[in-house]
Amino acid sequence: MSANDPADAAIRARSIARYRSRAAGYDATCGPTWSIRERAIAALALRAGDCVLDVGCGTGLSLPLLRAAVGDEGQVYGFDQSPEMLAQARARVAAAGWSNVTVYECAAQGLRLPAPVDALLFHYTHDILRSPAALGALLTQARPGAWVSIAGIKYFTGPLALANWWVYMKNRGYNGAPGELRTPWDRIAPHLTDWQWQPTQYGMGYLASGRLRVEAAG
Ligand SMILES: C[S@@+](CC[C@H](N)C(=O)[O-])C[C@H]1O[C@@H](n2cnc3c(N)ncnc32)[C@H](O)[C@@H]1O
């Protein structure tokens, strides 16, 4: 799939439309997954001075945690294609007065950072994880061995699988390509070493991490 693939563009357009109406109330919906956010960020093993990318940063809820982890000498980048979500992230950065946090309004498929990052956070970014063009662009923005941490939604297994229609509908509200929830990590996992994942939320969520393989990095 190329960076200009029409299917990818249609998925992006659906997502942008969803977040146009969802952005204002987005933060109020994130309370129940706050501990997952904290665990996903902890898995990045950030140190003072590191450079980290918040993939699909949305309203910037992870930015304060990432900024605290890398300190004054570090660098935090974030990007999002939704103007309404990114405007909130920008306001958050301006209100905090951070000089080492930069957010861009752009698609994952077209992101170009000034320097390779040490870590990538994918927190509830299903559309991006399912887009080969987006992953191709993002993984070349990180150094070999960079930590990658992923949290998101997936289908239940076992008896709870009866509720997967509900999981699909829930995901649909937030994504342009809501399906492929059995193993949503299976396009990024082959690019990582030290891969591990665990279920969250009784199996309708997951937390995964690994380190970027040399051949996938920029
Ligand atoms: C569920 S929100 C998660 C936001 C943030 N990561 C968080 O944890 O609060 C998904 C975000 O991904 C963004 N997004 C989806 N596809 C994208 C793409 N191709 N490029 C950039 N951003 C994208 C959406 O605009 C939305 O803000």
Side-chain angles (χ1 to χ4, degrees), residues 11-75:
I11 291 166
R12 288 190 46 229
R14 275 200 297 277
S15 171
I16 288 170
R18 296 225 156 106
Y19 282 97
R20 192 158 295 135
S21 50
R22 203 166 259 287
Y26 180 81
D27 285 6
T29 66
C30 292
T33 49
W34 192 258
S35 65
I36 293 174
R37 187 184 299 275
E38 290 176 328
R39 287 165 66 194
I41 291 171
L44 292 173
L46 292 168
R47 294 170 302 186
D50 275 353
C51 184
V52 58
L53 175 62
D54 187 2
V55 171
C57 66
T59 63
L61 283 173
S62 294
L63 296 176
L65 305 176
L66 296 171
R67 168 67 177 69
V70 302
D72 291 336
E73 312 81 41
Q75 181 70 48

Side-chain angles (χ1 to χ4, degrees), residues 84-102:
E84 291 80 9
M85 296 290 274
L86 209 266
Q88 292 186 51
R90 274 211 181 102
R92 205 181 292 276
V93 174
W98 297 312
S99 56
N100 58 344
V101 181
T102 310

Side-chain angles (χ1 to χ4, degrees), residues 166-187:
W166 172 77
V167 176
Y168 176 86
M169 292 312 289
K170 197 169 163 59
N171 204 41
R172 189 170 179 273
Y174 292 88
N175 289 284
E180 302 185 319
L181 287 165
R182 218 163 290 283
T183 51
W185 53 78
D186 61 16
R187 290 196 170 139

Side-chain angles (χ1 to χ4, degrees), residues 19 26 37 56-58 79-82 107-109 123-124 128:
Y19 282 97
Y26 180 81
R37 187 184 299 275
C57 66
F79 74 89
D80 202 285
Q81 68 178 2
S82 159
Q109 289 82 344
H123 191 263
Y124 285 80
I128 295 174

